[in-house]
Amino acid sequence: MGKDVEGVAGEGFQTRDYQDPPPAPFIDGEELKKWSFYRAVIAEFVATLLFLYVTVLTVIGYKIQSDTDAGGVECGGVGILGIAWAFGGMIFILVYCTAGISGGHINPAVTFGLLLARKVSLPRAILYMIAQCLGAICGVGFVKAFQSSYYIRYGGGANSLAEGYNIGTGLGAEIIGTFVLVYTVFSATDPKRSARDSHVPVLAPLPIGFAVFMVHLATIPITGTGINPARSFGAAVIFNESKPWKDHWIFWVGPFVGAGIAAIYHQFVLRASGSKSLGSFRSAANV
């Protein structure tokens, strides 16, 4: 646990001491006895449900409005830009609402990255992922219930590899896209930033939402943009057709690899946690 003094000399901003928070225990039996733990799990379930409901409903609505065979117009609906805004905007809203309760993960890949960085315990990570997947299934289930006449016809919002792209391209898009998202999560929620830039108000959900928005703009044409295994899993379960299931592994492997790389990059390269720990060990050995 390293201590830094952060400040901007000569600019009139007060210098603040900063101390790295201790890593979360790998298994914390005490948190399983607390209501706040289960409240956080419920918050992840509800947030993921709302996320899938609004975003998948936006996708279905766009396809209805742009289907010329069904009376729509070729450039009707919100378009890819609107879909990207729906995903990014909902993440901004939901992270803002749940950050103080559960941390606002709403994504198993984010939870996995934070687990690797020792920000959450293993039991919390497992229950978060289960809650996120169940919430996603329920959210897409509501979409199917409300749009039953269009849901199957327009693909159910399920992720799959687009025609013309190979598996390597799709996997790479999911890895890089998730890296961008999880790297942004680490940077936006870094407590060291709060100490260093205390004079600058930072609303963490905003850059996280924009990261989701930008990644969707880039990868919707390739994979429909997963970067969230719960989102892909919930849509695949309710839609339950062969193509999304055939490609489904991409939407777990890609996000988890991308999240893992982002965690390592932020913790051991940018924050140099490993070298700080090694330096502290050497100093103690020389005393």
Side-chain angles (χ1 to χ4, degrees), residues 137-224:
I137 292 171
C138 292
V140 182
F142 281 131
V143 174
K144 184 176 182 179
F146 297 150
Q147 291 280 11
S148 57
S149 57
Y150 299 109
Y151 179 82
I152 298 296
R153 178 175 179 177
Y154 294 110
N159 289 121
S160 60
L161 192 62
E163 295 295 331
Y165 293 97
N166 59 39
I167 291 175
T169 301
L171 186 60
E174 289 296 307
I175 291 173
I176 296 172
T178 311
F179 175 87
V180 171
L181 170 59
V182 178
Y183 173 41
T184 304
V185 169
F186 275 108
S187 298
T189 60
D190 190 343
K192 186 174 183 179
R193 177 188 294 273
S194 299
R196 182 189 63 210
D197 300 331
S198 58
H199 57 284
V200 180
V202 177
L203 185 61
L206 186 59
I208 295 171
F210 262 104
V212 172
F213 166 68
M214 297 303 295
V215 170
H216 273 76
L217 285 182
T219 58
I220 282 176
I222 303 173
T223 61

Side-chain angles (χ1 to χ4, degrees), residues 57-268:
L57 201 57
T58 301
V59 172
I60 301 297
Y62 160 65
K63 292 186 176 181
I64 293 171
Q65 293 171 317
S66 60
D67 185 359
T68 55
D69 294 333
V73 294
E74 188 172 350
C75 296
V78 296
I80 289 180
L81 182 63
I83 293 172
W85 272 120
F87 279 88
M90 280 303 293
I91 286 296
F92 167 70
I93 293 167
L94 294 169
V95 171
Y96 179 83
C97 291
T98 59
I101 301 171
S102 67
H105 297 192
I106 321 172
N107 185 336
V110 171
T111 301
F112 178 68
L114 294 174
L115 173 65
L116 292 181
R118 299 292 302 278
K119 305 294 185 183
V120 296
S121 66
L122 180 62
R124 182 177 292 266
I126 292 173
L127 286 183
Y128 272 20
M129 292 181 191
I130 293 172
Q132 290 155 0
C133 289
L134 292 177
I137 292 171
C138 292
V140 182
F142 281 131
V143 174
K144 184 176 182 179
F146 297 150
Q147 291 280 11
S148 57
S149 57
Y150 299 109
Y151 179 82
I152 298 296
R153 178 175 179 177
Y154 294 110
N159 289 121
S160 60
L161 192 62
E163 295 295 331
Y165 293 97
N166 59 39
I167 291 175
T169 301
L171 186 60
E174 289 296 307
I175 291 173
I176 296 172
T178 311
F179 175 87
V180 171
L181 170 59
V182 178
Y183 173 41
T184 304
V185 169
F186 275 108
S187 298
T189 60
D190 190 343
K192 186 174 183 179
R193 177 188 294 273
S194 299
R196 182 189 63 210
D197 300 331
S198 58
H199 57 284
V200 180
V202 177
L203 185 61
L206 186 59
I208 295 171
F210 262 104
V212 172
F213 166 68
M214 297 303 295
V215 170
H216 273 76
L217 285 182
T219 58
I220 282 176
I222 303 173
T223 61
T225 309
I227 68 170
N228 183 335
R231 176 261 185 272
S232 302
F233 180 70
V237 167
I238 300 299
F239 186 55
N240 199 27
E241 296 289 339
S242 59
K243 180 68 165 93
W245 281 125
K246 178 183 176 182
D247 299 334
H248 189 65
W249 67 272
I250 295 173
F251 301 100
W252 284 90
V253 174
F256 272 59
V257 170
I261 295 171
I264 293 169
Y265 175 63
H266 185 267
Q267 293 296 105
F268 294 97

